Amino acid sequence: MTLPAQLEQVAAAFEQRDYKTVAQLLKPLLKAAPDHPWVQFYAARLQEVSGKPEAAEAAYRKLLKETSNPKLALQARQGLQRIETAAQAQQQEAVAQATADPSSLVSSFLIVEPVSSENRQAAAQNFARIMKIDPYTARVHLSQRSWRLYRTGAIGELQFYSQQLTNAGIPSFCVTLPEIQKIRVFRVQHIQAASPQATIVCLNESDQLGTLAFEWSEVTRRVEGLLPIFEDVIDLGAWNKLKRREQTQDYAQIWDLHLPKRKCILRFCDSTYQFQQGMIFDVTQTDGTRMTQTTNRLRWNNLAKFLTNRLPDVPSWAEFTPFAETALEHLSLVSSFKSHIDVFRKDESYWDQAFQLYSSLVFIKNS
Protein backbone atom coordinates (compact mmCIF):
# COMPACT_ATOMS: atom_id res chain seq x y z
CA MET A 1 0.00 0.00 0.00
CA THR A 2 1.34 3.43 -0.94
CA LEU A 3 2.11 6.14 1.65
CA PRO A 4 -0.79 8.39 0.52
CA ALA A 5 -3.22 5.49 0.92
CA GLN A 6 -1.87 4.73 4.40
CA LEU A 7 -2.25 8.38 5.37
CA GLU A 8 -5.86 8.32 4.17
CA GLN A 9 -6.51 5.37 6.47
CA VAL A 10 -5.03 7.31 9.39
CA ALA A 11 -7.21 10.33 8.56
CA ALA A 12 -10.31 8.10 8.37
CA ALA A 13 -9.53 6.55 11.75
CA PHE A 14 -9.21 10.04 13.25
CA GLU A 15 -12.59 10.97 11.78
CA GLN A 16 -14.12 7.96 13.53
CA ARG A 17 -12.19 8.77 16.76
CA ASP A 18 -10.73 5.29 16.63
CA TYR A 19 -7.45 6.28 18.28
CA LYS A 20 -6.38 2.70 18.91
CA THR A 21 -6.40 2.07 15.13
CA VAL A 22 -4.63 5.40 14.57
CA ALA A 23 -1.81 4.28 16.87
CA GLN A 24 -1.54 0.92 15.07
CA LEU A 25 -1.44 2.56 11.64
CA LEU A 26 1.08 5.24 12.66
CA LYS A 27 3.59 2.86 14.22
CA PRO A 28 5.00 1.49 10.91
CA LEU A 29 4.76 4.93 9.26
CA LEU A 30 6.93 6.51 11.97
CA LYS A 31 9.59 3.88 11.23
CA ALA A 32 9.37 4.06 7.42
CA ALA A 33 8.86 7.84 6.95
CA PRO A 34 9.49 9.65 10.24
CA ASP A 35 10.32 12.96 8.51
CA HIS A 36 7.23 13.09 6.32
CA PRO A 37 5.28 16.21 7.38
CA TRP A 38 1.85 14.50 7.38
CA VAL A 39 3.20 11.60 9.43
CA GLN A 40 4.56 14.14 11.91
CA PHE A 41 1.21 15.95 11.96
CA TYR A 42 -0.81 12.83 12.69
CA ALA A 43 1.70 11.82 15.36
CA ALA A 44 1.22 15.23 16.97
CA ARG A 45 -2.55 14.88 16.71
CA LEU A 46 -2.37 11.49 18.44
CA GLN A 47 -0.29 13.04 21.26
CA GLU A 48 -2.92 15.77 21.58
CA VAL A 49 -5.84 13.36 22.02
CA SER A 50 -3.75 11.12 24.29
CA GLY A 51 -3.35 13.81 26.94
CA LYS A 52 0.15 14.99 25.98
CA PRO A 53 -0.51 18.65 25.05
CA GLU A 54 3.07 19.88 25.60
CA ALA A 55 4.55 17.35 23.18
CA ALA A 56 1.77 17.99 20.66
CA GLU A 57 2.25 21.76 20.88
CA ALA A 58 6.00 21.44 20.25
CA ALA A 59 5.35 19.21 17.21
CA TYR A 60 2.75 21.58 15.76
CA ARG A 61 5.06 24.58 16.16
CA LYS A 62 7.90 22.66 14.48
CA LEU A 63 5.63 21.88 11.54
CA LEU A 64 4.60 25.53 11.18
CA LYS A 65 8.25 26.56 10.94
CA GLU A 66 9.16 23.92 8.37
CA THR A 67 6.13 23.36 6.12
CA SER A 68 5.10 25.32 3.04
CA ASN A 69 1.88 23.33 2.59
CA PRO A 70 -1.08 25.68 3.30
CA LYS A 71 -3.46 22.86 4.25
CA LEU A 72 -0.97 21.31 6.67
CA ALA A 73 -0.14 24.72 8.20
CA LEU A 74 -3.85 25.41 8.73
CA GLN A 75 -4.39 22.11 10.52
CA ALA A 76 -1.32 22.69 12.70
CA ARG A 77 -2.68 26.11 13.70
CA GLN A 78 -6.05 24.55 14.48
CA GLY A 79 -4.27 22.01 16.68
CA LEU A 80 -2.52 24.79 18.60
CA GLN A 81 -5.83 26.60 19.03
CA ARG A 82 -7.48 23.46 20.42
CA ILE A 83 -4.64 22.97 22.91
CA GLU A 84 -4.81 26.60 24.05
CA THR A 85 -8.62 26.52 24.43
CA ALA A 86 -8.47 23.28 26.43
CA ALA A 87 -5.71 24.67 28.67
CA GLN A 88 -7.69 27.84 29.37
CA ALA A 89 -10.78 25.83 30.28
CA GLN A 90 -8.76 23.59 32.62
CA GLN A 91 -7.13 26.60 34.25
CA GLN A 92 -10.45 28.38 34.78
CA GLU A 93 -11.92 25.25 36.34
CA ALA A 94 -8.88 24.83 38.60
CA VAL A 95 -9.02 28.48 39.72
CA ALA A 96 -12.75 28.15 40.41
CA GLN A 97 -12.09 25.11 42.60
CA ALA A 98 -9.20 26.86 44.36
CA THR A 99 -11.41 29.84 45.29
CA ALA A 100 -14.57 27.92 46.19
CA ASP A 101 -13.77 27.94 49.94
CA PRO A 102 -14.45 31.38 51.56
CA SER A 103 -11.11 31.13 53.42
CA SER A 104 -9.36 31.15 50.03
CA LEU A 105 -10.53 34.72 49.33
CA VAL A 106 -8.11 36.39 51.79
CA SER A 107 -6.10 39.25 50.21
CA SER A 108 -2.62 38.06 49.26
CA PHE A 109 0.54 38.77 47.28
CA LEU A 110 2.18 36.60 44.62
CA ILE A 111 5.96 37.06 44.56
CA VAL A 112 8.15 35.78 41.71
CA GLU A 113 11.73 35.08 42.78
CA PRO A 114 14.85 35.68 40.63
CA VAL A 115 15.54 33.41 37.67
CA SER A 116 19.10 32.68 36.54
CA SER A 117 20.17 34.06 33.16
CA GLU A 118 20.77 30.58 31.69
CA ASN A 119 17.19 29.54 32.55
CA ARG A 120 15.50 32.81 31.65
CA GLN A 121 14.42 31.95 28.10
CA ALA A 122 12.73 28.68 29.07
CA ALA A 123 11.28 30.32 32.19
CA ALA A 124 9.80 33.15 30.09
CA GLN A 125 8.09 30.66 27.79
CA ASN A 126 6.60 28.80 30.75
CA PHE A 127 5.62 32.05 32.46
CA ALA A 128 3.88 33.23 29.29
CA ARG A 129 2.01 29.94 28.97
CA ILE A 130 0.83 29.89 32.59
CA MET A 131 -0.11 33.56 32.82
CA LYS A 132 -1.49 33.78 29.27
CA ILE A 133 0.75 36.66 28.20
CA ASP A 134 3.19 37.08 25.34
CA PRO A 135 6.78 35.83 25.81
CA TYR A 136 8.31 39.34 25.57
CA THR A 137 6.13 40.63 28.42
CA ALA A 138 6.94 37.47 30.36
CA ARG A 139 10.68 38.20 30.11
CA VAL A 140 10.08 41.69 31.52
CA HIS A 141 8.39 40.19 34.58
CA LEU A 142 11.32 37.86 35.34
CA SER A 143 14.20 39.32 37.29
CA GLN A 144 17.70 37.93 37.70
CA ARG A 145 18.44 39.53 41.08
CA SER A 146 15.37 40.63 43.02
CA TRP A 147 11.86 39.59 44.00
CA ARG A 148 8.98 40.96 41.95
CA LEU A 149 5.42 41.51 43.10
CA TYR A 150 3.48 40.11 40.16
CA ARG A 151 -0.11 40.04 41.36
CA THR A 152 -2.42 40.70 44.30
CA GLY A 153 -5.67 38.85 44.86
CA ALA A 154 -7.35 35.94 46.63
CA ILE A 155 -4.96 33.46 48.23
CA GLY A 156 -6.65 30.45 46.59
CA GLU A 157 -6.08 31.78 43.07
CA LEU A 158 -2.55 33.01 43.75
CA GLN A 159 -1.51 29.71 45.36
CA PHE A 160 -2.74 27.93 42.24
CA TYR A 161 -0.55 30.12 40.01
CA SER A 162 2.39 29.85 42.40
CA GLN A 163 2.22 26.06 42.26
CA GLN A 164 2.04 26.15 38.46
CA LEU A 165 5.08 28.45 38.29
CA THR A 166 7.10 26.40 40.76
CA ASN A 167 6.35 23.19 38.86
CA ALA A 168 7.63 24.93 35.71
CA GLY A 169 10.94 25.85 37.36
CA ILE A 170 10.01 29.44 38.24
CA PRO A 171 10.40 29.92 42.02
CA SER A 172 7.54 31.86 43.60
CA PHE A 173 5.58 32.12 46.83
CA CYS A 174 2.44 33.68 48.29
CA VAL A 175 1.91 35.63 51.50
CA THR A 176 -1.44 36.78 52.88
CA LEU A 177 -2.20 40.25 54.23
CA PRO A 178 -3.21 38.85 57.68
CA GLU A 179 0.20 37.12 57.93
CA ILE A 180 1.89 40.49 57.40
CA GLN A 181 -0.40 42.29 59.84
CA LYS A 182 0.54 39.82 62.60
CA ILE A 183 4.15 41.09 62.59
CA ARG A 184 4.63 43.81 65.18
CA VAL A 185 6.60 46.90 64.15
CA PHE A 186 8.31 49.10 66.74
CA ARG A 187 9.61 52.47 65.48
CA VAL A 188 12.87 53.16 67.29
CA GLN A 189 13.18 56.68 68.72
CA HIS A 190 16.65 56.12 70.16
CA ILE A 191 18.93 53.50 71.67
CA GLN A 192 19.09 53.95 75.44
CA ALA A 193 21.77 51.33 76.17
CA ALA A 194 23.78 48.70 74.26
CA SER A 195 24.86 46.37 77.10
CA PRO A 196 24.46 44.08 78.90
CA GLN A 197 21.24 44.11 76.88
CA ALA A 198 20.19 46.48 74.14
CA THR A 199 17.45 48.83 75.31
CA ILE A 200 15.50 51.05 72.95
CA VAL A 201 12.83 53.69 73.32
CA CYS A 202 10.19 53.10 70.67
CA LEU A 203 6.65 53.69 69.48
CA ASN A 204 4.28 50.79 68.95
CA GLU A 205 1.57 50.53 66.30
CA SER A 206 -0.75 52.69 68.45
CA ASP A 207 1.90 55.42 68.85
CA GLN A 208 2.41 54.52 72.52
CA LEU A 209 5.91 55.31 73.78
CA GLY A 210 7.77 52.64 75.74
CA THR A 211 11.03 50.74 76.15
CA LEU A 212 12.05 47.33 74.83
CA ALA A 213 15.10 45.30 75.88
CA PHE A 214 16.55 42.52 73.76
CA GLU A 215 19.73 40.54 73.16
CA TRP A 216 21.71 41.40 70.03
CA SER A 217 21.81 37.66 69.28
CA GLU A 218 18.02 37.74 68.74
CA VAL A 219 18.46 39.79 65.55
CA THR A 220 18.58 37.44 62.57
CA ARG A 221 18.30 39.80 59.58
CA ARG A 222 18.67 43.41 58.53
CA VAL A 223 16.61 45.00 55.75
CA GLU A 224 17.76 48.28 54.20
CA GLY A 225 15.94 50.73 51.98
CA LEU A 226 15.92 54.23 50.52
CA LEU A 227 12.55 55.95 50.39
CA PRO A 228 12.34 58.80 47.84
CA ILE A 229 10.96 62.11 49.11
CA PHE A 230 9.16 64.03 46.39
CA GLU A 231 8.74 67.78 46.09
CA ASP A 232 6.98 69.97 43.54
CA VAL A 233 9.37 71.98 41.36
CA ILE A 234 8.65 74.53 38.67
CA ASP A 235 10.42 74.37 35.31
CA LEU A 236 10.17 76.24 32.07
CA GLY A 237 8.29 74.16 29.54
CA ALA A 238 7.42 74.69 25.91
CA TRP A 239 6.98 78.35 24.85
CA ASN A 240 8.64 79.39 28.14
CA LYS A 241 5.54 78.48 30.12
CA LEU A 242 5.99 77.53 33.75
CA LYS A 243 5.27 73.87 34.40
CA ARG A 244 4.91 72.19 37.77
CA ARG A 245 6.27 68.67 38.13
CA GLU A 246 7.18 66.23 40.89
CA GLN A 247 10.84 65.46 41.48
CA THR A 248 12.83 63.36 43.95
CA GLN A 249 14.58 65.84 46.22
CA ASP A 250 16.04 63.49 48.82
CA TYR A 251 15.86 59.99 50.28
CA ALA A 252 14.92 58.76 53.74
CA GLN A 253 17.19 55.95 54.91
CA ILE A 254 15.54 53.11 56.76
CA TRP A 255 16.77 49.92 58.45
CA ASP A 256 14.72 47.09 59.89
CA LEU A 257 16.11 44.61 62.41
CA HIS A 258 14.17 41.33 62.57
CA LEU A 259 13.53 39.50 65.83
CA PRO A 260 11.59 36.44 64.65
CA LYS A 261 11.30 34.78 68.08
CA ARG A 262 9.42 37.84 69.27
CA LYS A 263 7.58 38.15 65.94
CA CYS A 264 8.56 41.79 65.68
CA ILE A 265 10.56 44.29 63.61
CA LEU A 266 12.61 47.16 65.03
CA ARG A 267 12.51 50.04 62.54
CA PHE A 268 15.20 52.75 62.39
CA CYS A 269 14.72 55.80 60.16
CA ASP A 270 17.16 58.68 59.75
CA SER A 271 14.44 61.36 59.69
CA THR A 272 12.78 60.27 62.95
CA TYR A 273 15.67 58.89 65.03
CA GLN A 274 16.33 61.19 68.04
CA PHE A 275 20.09 61.55 67.76
CA GLN A 276 20.24 64.00 70.67
CA GLN A 277 18.75 61.40 73.02
CA GLY A 278 20.16 58.16 74.37
CA MET A 279 23.53 56.75 73.32
CA ILE A 280 26.16 59.03 71.77
CA PHE A 281 27.69 57.90 68.46
CA ASP A 282 29.63 61.09 67.58
CA VAL A 283 30.46 64.48 69.02
CA THR A 284 27.87 66.38 66.93
CA GLN A 285 25.09 64.84 69.02
CA THR A 286 26.05 66.91 72.07
CA ASP A 287 27.97 69.94 70.82
CA GLY A 288 24.91 71.94 69.80
CA THR A 289 25.63 71.63 66.10
CA ARG A 290 22.67 72.87 64.10
CA MET A 291 20.74 69.96 62.60
CA THR A 292 21.40 70.19 58.86
CA GLN A 293 20.85 67.63 56.15
CA THR A 294 24.59 66.91 56.03
CA THR A 295 24.88 66.58 59.80
CA ASN A 296 21.90 64.24 59.93
CA ARG A 297 23.44 62.03 57.26
CA LEU A 298 26.75 61.86 59.20
CA ARG A 299 24.91 60.94 62.37
CA TRP A 300 22.94 58.25 60.55
CA ASN A 301 26.15 56.82 59.09
CA ASN A 302 27.62 56.58 62.59
CA LEU A 303 24.48 54.84 63.86
CA ALA A 304 24.60 52.43 60.92
CA LYS A 305 28.26 51.71 61.62
CA PHE A 306 27.44 51.03 65.28
CA LEU A 307 24.64 48.59 64.34
CA THR A 308 26.85 46.86 61.79
CA ASN A 309 29.59 46.36 64.36
CA ARG A 310 27.08 44.96 66.84
CA LEU A 311 25.62 42.62 64.21
CA PRO A 312 28.62 41.56 62.09
CA ASP A 313 27.22 38.20 60.96
CA VAL A 314 23.61 39.22 60.37
CA PRO A 315 22.69 38.96 56.65
CA SER A 316 21.49 42.12 54.95
CA TRP A 317 18.65 42.38 52.42
CA ALA A 318 19.09 45.45 50.24
CA GLU A 319 17.21 44.79 46.97
CA PHE A 320 14.30 46.96 48.02
CA THR A 321 14.30 49.50 45.18
CA PRO A 322 13.87 47.06 42.24
CA PHE A 323 11.17 45.25 44.24
CA ALA A 324 9.34 48.50 45.01
CA GLU A 325 9.28 49.46 41.33
CA THR A 326 7.17 46.34 40.67
CA ALA A 327 4.97 46.80 43.74
CA LEU A 328 3.76 50.41 43.59
CA GLU A 329 0.93 49.93 41.09
CA HIS A 330 -0.38 46.85 42.93
CA LEU A 331 -0.40 48.42 46.41
CA SER A 332 -2.98 51.00 45.35
CA LEU A 333 -5.44 48.09 45.13
CA VAL A 334 -4.81 46.86 48.69
CA SER A 335 -6.75 48.53 51.48
CA SER A 336 -5.87 48.48 55.21
CA PHE A 337 -2.15 48.19 54.55
CA LYS A 338 -0.28 50.35 57.07
CA SER A 339 3.35 51.23 56.45
CA HIS A 340 4.39 52.06 60.06
CA ILE A 341 6.74 54.68 58.61
CA ASP A 342 6.74 58.33 59.75
CA VAL A 343 8.59 60.05 56.92
CA PHE A 344 7.15 63.54 56.43
CA ARG A 345 5.49 63.86 53.00
CA LYS A 346 3.22 66.43 51.40
CA ASP A 347 1.25 63.51 49.95
CA GLU A 348 1.08 59.82 50.78
CA SER A 349 3.43 57.57 48.82
CA TYR A 350 3.15 53.85 48.13
CA TRP A 351 6.94 53.65 48.54
CA ASP A 352 6.33 53.47 52.30
CA GLN A 353 3.90 50.55 51.97
CA ALA A 354 6.30 48.89 49.54
CA PHE A 355 9.07 48.87 52.16
CA GLN A 356 6.69 47.50 54.81
CA LEU A 357 5.72 44.74 52.37
CA TYR A 358 9.33 43.96 51.38
CA SER A 359 10.56 43.75 54.96
CA SER A 360 7.54 41.63 55.96
CA LEU A 361 8.12 39.24 53.06
CA VAL A 362 11.75 38.78 54.13
CA PHE A 363 10.56 38.21 57.70
CA ILE A 364 7.97 35.57 56.75
CA LYS A 365 10.00 33.82 54.05
CA ASN A 366 12.99 33.32 56.36
CA SER A 367 11.14 32.51 59.56
Side-chain angles (χ1 to χ4, degrees):
M1 185 181 296
T2 62
L3 180 59
Q6 290 174 299
L7 290 172
E8 286 180 8
Q9 286 185 330
V10 174
F14 265 117
E15 286 292 326
Q16 297 170 9
R17 298 187 178 182
D18 184 359
Y19 303 131
K20 183 177 180 180
T21 300
V22 169
Q24 292 173 346
L25 293 171
L26 272 178
K27 191 172 182 179
L29 291 178
L30 286 169
K31 289 183 178 180
D35 297 327
H36 192 283
W38 281 105
V39 172
Q40 292 180 347
F41 168 75
Y42 286 125
R45 183 75 190 278
L46 183 59
Q47 289 175 319
E48 179 189 343
V49 299
S50 300
K52 301 175 182 177
E54 292 85 1
E57 180 181 358
Y60 285 143
R61 294 193 183 282
K62 183 173 181 290
L63 277 172
L64 283 175
K65 289 181 180 179
E66 297 176 353
T67 187
S68 58
N69 185 319
K71 183 179 178 181
L72 180 59
L74 175 61
Q75 295 209 36
R77 290 192 189 94
Q78 289 173 341
L80 289 173
Q81 184 61 52
R82 286 193 302 271
I83 291 171
E84 182 178 354
T85 301
Q88 288 178 345
Q90 289 176 356
Q91 190 175 72
Q92 289 171 359
E93 182 180 355
V95 170
Q97 291 177 354
T99 56
D101 186 340
S103 65
S104 67
L105 301 178
V106 175
S107 295
S108 306
F109 305 90
L110 172 59
I111 310 300
V112 179
E113 299 185 64
V115 175
S116 62
S117 56
E118 58 267 23
N119 296 329
R120 198 175 183 206
Q121 183 173 353
Q125 293 174 347
N126 287 327
F127 196 90
R129 172 177 54 80
I130 294 167
M131 294 300 180
K132 306 304 177 189
I133 58 178
D134 64 272
Y136 175 79
T137 303
R139 284 180 64 87
V140 173
H141 286 297
L142 295 177
S143 170
Q144 295 181 42
R145 67 185 183 95
S146 64
W147 288 345
R148 298 182 73 90
L149 173 56
Y150 180 70
R151 184 174 290 184
T152 60
I155 184 60
E157 179 181 4
L158 298 190
Q159 281 181 332
F160 167 78
Y161 285 119
S162 178
Q163 188 61 54
Q164 294 284 306
L165 293 172
T166 302
N167 291 344
I170 304 168
S172 63
F173 64 97
C174 298
V175 170
T176 67
L177 183 57
E179 284 181 279
I180 292 171
Q181 292 171 330
K182 287 179 182 177
I183 305 170
R184 302 208 63 186
V185 179
F186 296 101
R187 292 158 288 159
V188 179
Q189 303 302 289
H190 60 267
I191 299 176
Q192 200 169 66
S195 61
Q197 284 186 315
T199 305
I200 59 170
V201 174
C202 57
L203 293 172
N204 67 10
E205 300 88 345
S206 301
D207 292 331
Q208 296 171 322
L209 189 67
T211 60
L212 187 152
F214 63 96
E215 300 290 345
W216 291 107
S217 60
E218 294 182 66
V219 179
T220 60
R221 282 169 303 281
R222 182 178 83 225
V223 179
E224 304 176 26
L226 292 175
L227 303 178
I229 298 174
F230 305 102
E231 297 290 345
D232 286 335
V233 297
I234 298 176
D235 284 340
L236 283 177
W239 310 104
N240 288 327
K241 289 185 177 180
L242 295 178
K243 183 174 69 173
R244 187 183 299 274
R245 64 184 178 86
E246 197 174 61
Q247 179 176 294
T248 301
Q249 292 291 88
D250 198 5
Y251 291 90
Q253 301 189 73
I254 189 164
W255 277 27
D256 277 3
L257 303 184
H258 290 183
L259 281 67
K261 289 185 178 180
R262 301 196 188 203
K263 297 181 180 179
C264 75
I265 292 173
L266 308 182
R267 179 158 293 162
F268 294 75
C269 183
D270 67 344
S271 62
T272 57
Y273 189 90
Q274 299 170 347
F275 288 102
Q276 294 176 333
Q277 302 290 327
M279 289 188 62
I280 297 173
F281 304 109
D282 69 277
V283 68
T284 63
Q285 288 180 237
T286 57
D287 68 355
T289 302
R290 181 173 175 269
M291 195 67 146
T292 65
Q293 188 178 60
T294 302
T295 304
N296 194 50
R297 185 167 290 114
L298 290 173
R299 291 176 176 178
W300 173 262
N301 290 342
N302 285 323
L303 171 60
K305 183 178 179 180
F306 167 80
L307 292 174
T308 301
N309 289 337
R310 280 286 176 174
L311 304 165
D313 300 320
V314 170
S316 172
W317 290 69
E319 296 293 337
F320 163 66
T321 298
F323 169 81
E325 290 168 349
T326 71
L328 298 177
E329 63 179 295
H330 297 286
L331 288 170
S332 63
L333 305 175
V334 182
S335 58
S336 304
F337 192 90
K338 294 184 178 180
S339 67
H340 305 294
I341 292 174
D342 299 324
V343 173
F344 176 76
R345 299 182 180 280
K346 63 180 184 66
D347 295 310
E348 289 189 10
S349 169
Y350 288 112
W351 278 90
D352 297 347
Q353 282 91 340
F355 184 81
Q356 170 66 14
L357 175 59
Y358 179 69
S359 186
S360 299
L361 292 172
V362 174
F363 189 100
I364 294 168
K365 190 72 164 61
N366 292 279
S367 296

